[in-house]
Amino acid sequence: MQLVEKQLLALLKAGLWESSVDSSLFEKEVDWKEIIKLAKEQTVSGIVYDGMLTLPKELRPPRIVLLQWSNSLLQLENNNQLMNGELWKLFANYEANSVSPILMKGQGLAYNYPHPLHRQCGDIDVYVGKDGFDKAIKLLVSLGGKIINVSSRRALCKWNILTVENHCKLTEFGSPWANRFLNKEMKQVCDSNRKVKIGEYDIRLLPLELDVMFVLVHLLLHFIYEGIGLRQICDWACLLHRYKDDIDKQKLERLLRGVGCFNGAKIVGAMLVKYLGFPKNELPFMISAEDYKNSEWLMDGIIEGGNFGFFSEYYKHKPKNWLKRKLYAVNNIINRCRKYHKLAPAEAWCYPFRLVIICLRIRMNRLMGREKV
């Protein structure tokens, strides 16, 4: 690992746990512009900024760099506040029109961080179930929203400043066994009373163990398919830390094994301990020496690819032709599934076949003038 990457992780660790950073890493060569660039690629600029403030003043960035970074942080805080203000209005509109929304990931996870407004914000993912799916789409359109894309399980919409993704399914695996298991577990979602206060409204969240499983599954699948940034890893770390005394360990393990991701959870857990200073005793499962070893290539893949793999070699050489681009994407995913299969073995074997079917279905629907797949 290069020095700049060690420095980034040291600052991130300090920002996550409000601890002092190892200042010896910053006493000689420090390329602050490169550290900030990496932090942006990993979408953890705000957390790394918090870690930087624990350094002695003489070791912090030059004044001009610090001012630019501070301005970016103020913009991030403002964006989060604006999103939170619109989010509770969105949920109030849903519930007033017989849609029962549950917030997935995103702004709900931010409240597990020491400084919630310093987490990089993004889209708003909402689980509305099958019954509320069409209602939610029609409601957003009636409120002036614009439909960007609709599939059989999700609808991407633009409403005010929010990009809203409505889901009728929590997620969908390539593995039919994982889908069958998750569908049975979804019965408990409607009864969830877990909430977080955002703005003036209590926003409903997924049941705790299901949420812990879902956040982990989301980052694992995205990593296998394309890549993730450190933000997704930090989300899971802060969620585990916040609810360390409330998680039912046996229930969580049953869920993780049921969707075929227990091995991946152990590898990510080992990575948290090894690279981000997560307390080992707060993990809801045991980890082994093999998990620590596997966490090394996981960290290498995250550093190399950045947020959702946007900075990987794959994106630099993407063809423009539709057919070549699809074949290139399928080949890339097959290679990633082969390389990272230990994270979710059944998914790594099944997903490439499902991807080919999806691509063919999309192409056929477009030829026939239909967008829904």
Side-chain angles (χ1 to χ4, degrees):
M1 187 173 288
Q2 297 178 16
L3 176 61
V4 68
E5 295 165 354
K6 291 180 181 179
Q7 291 166 333
L8 173 73
L9 291 176
L11 296 171
L12 182 60
K13 186 191 303 184
L16 278 175
W17 314 124
E18 297 185 292
S19 58
S20 298
V21 71
D22 179 4
S23 58
S24 65
L25 287 170
F26 299 86
E27 291 174 351
K28 294 182 180 179
E29 180 185 350
V30 184
D31 186 343
W32 281 107
K33 289 186 178 180
E34 183 63 19
I35 290 174
I36 294 170
K37 174 177 170 288
L38 283 175
K40 288 180 179 178
E41 290 178 0
Q42 299 293 332
T43 56
V44 290
S45 293
I47 316 304
V48 173
Y49 181 93
D50 294 333
M52 177 273 299
L53 291 180
T54 69
L55 283 170
K57 289 186 178 180
E58 64 271 15
L59 297 180
R60 294 179 188 178
R63 186 172 183 273
I64 184 65
V65 175
L66 188 56
L67 284 174
Q68 291 172 346
W69 200 358
S70 299
N71 286 335
S72 296
L73 184 72
L74 289 173
Q75 185 62 55
L76 175 60
E77 291 176 339
N78 185 56
N79 289 343
N80 269 304
Q81 288 171 335
L82 289 172
M83 284 189 70
N84 289 342
E86 294 298 309
L87 177 60
W88 73 263
K89 294 176 187 177
L90 174 71
F91 271 57
N93 275 310
Y94 274 178
E95 296 201 347
N97 288 274
S98 303
V99 177
S100 300
I102 295 178
L103 183 62
M104 303 160 59
K105 307 184 278 91
Q107 298 305 97
L109 291 174
Y111 282 82
N112 301 319
Y113 282 76
H115 302 285
L117 297 180
H118 291 184
R119 179 190 180 272
Q120 185 68 45
C121 49
D123 297 350
I124 301 297
D125 289 88
V126 187
Y127 176 78
V128 293
K130 292 181 179 179
D131 295 337
F133 190 61
D134 290 333
K135 286 182 184 178
I137 295 173
K138 292 176 182 177
L139 175 61
L140 285 181
V141 171
S142 71
L143 294 172
K146 180 182 178 182
I147 306 302
I148 300 172
N149 179 267
V150 180
S151 75
S152 59
R153 65 184 180 90
R154 64 192 179 103
L156 189 64
C157 314
K158 189 74 177 178
W159 181 72
N160 292 351
I161 65 167
L162 301 180
T163 300
V164 183
E165 195 166 329
N166 291 313
H167 296 256
C168 64
K169 296 180 180 179
L170 194 62
T171 191
E172 194 162 22
F173 296 90
S175 163
W177 306 282
N179 282 325
R180 196 175 300 120
F181 176 84
L182 184 59
N183 288 338
K184 292 179 181 178
E185 295 300 319
M186 289 304 293
K187 295 176 182 178
Q188 63 177 293
V189 172
C190 296
D191 299 325
S192 176
N193 290 314
R194 186 166 161 257
K195 296 178 180 179
V196 61
K197 194 171 188 64
I198 297 179
E200 302 177 22
Y201 205 78
D202 286 329
I203 303 294
R204 209 153 57 108
L205 304 175
L206 291 167
L208 180 57
E209 289 77 21
L210 194 64
D211 200 14
V212 173
M213 181 272 286
F214 170 66
V215 173
L216 185 277
V217 164
H218 180 261
L219 74 88
L220 285 182
L221 299 191
H222 267 296
F223 179 78
I224 293 172
Y225 305 159
E226 54 193 350
I228 57 170
L230 284 168
R231 180 188 63 174
Q232 285 76 26
I233 297 293
C234 293
D235 283 347
W236 202 53
C238 290
L239 180 61
L240 290 177
H241 178 67
R242 172 74 177 270
Y243 295 101
K244 59 183 181 294
D245 297 324
D246 303 315
I247 296 172
D248 184 324
K249 296 178 182 179
Q250 291 184 332
K251 186 175 182 179
L252 176 60
E253 182 173 338
R254 183 181 67 80
L255 289 172
L256 290 170
R257 289 188 183 279
V259 295
C261 292
F262 185 64
N263 194 50
K266 292 173 62 184
I267 294 172
V268 177
M271 180 188 153
L272 295 182
V273 175
K274 182 171 183 175
Y275 294 101
L276 294 182
F278 188 88
K280 186 178 178 181
N281 64 320
E282 291 184 8
L283 287 175
F285 42 72
M286 301 295 290
I287 52 178
S288 65
E290 183 68 18
D291 296 323
Y292 282 114
K293 184 178 179 180
N294 289 326
S295 73
E296 294 174 5
W297 52 253
L298 177 60
M299 175 57 82
D300 288 344
I302 292 172
I303 293 294
E304 177 191 355
N307 188 43
F308 294 121
F310 291 151
F311 303 92
S312 65
E313 289 297 316
Y314 164 73
Y315 277 93
K316 295 177 183 177
H317 306 291
K318 214 172 181 181
K320 293 183 179 180
N321 176 271
W322 184 88
L323 180 58
K324 289 182 178 179
R325 191 168 66 248
K326 292 301 178 185
L327 292 173
Y328 182 72
V330 170
N331 182 63
N332 179 66
I333 285 178
I334 290 173
N335 289 334
R336 289 188 68 90
C337 285
R338 187 185 298 120
K339 185 176 181 180
Y340 301 122
H341 71 277
K342 288 184 179 181
L343 295 170
E347 185 66 16
W349 283 109
C350 294
Y351 185 73
F353 296 101
R354 178 172 174 265
L355 179 66
V356 171
I357 293 171
I358 290 173
C359 288
L360 291 174
R361 191 183 300 166
I362 290 173
R363 187 61 173 168
M364 287 299 295
N365 278 313
R366 285 181 176 173
L367 289 173
M368 297 172 70
R370 298 180 308 191
E371 287 298 320
K372 197 167 183 177
V373 295

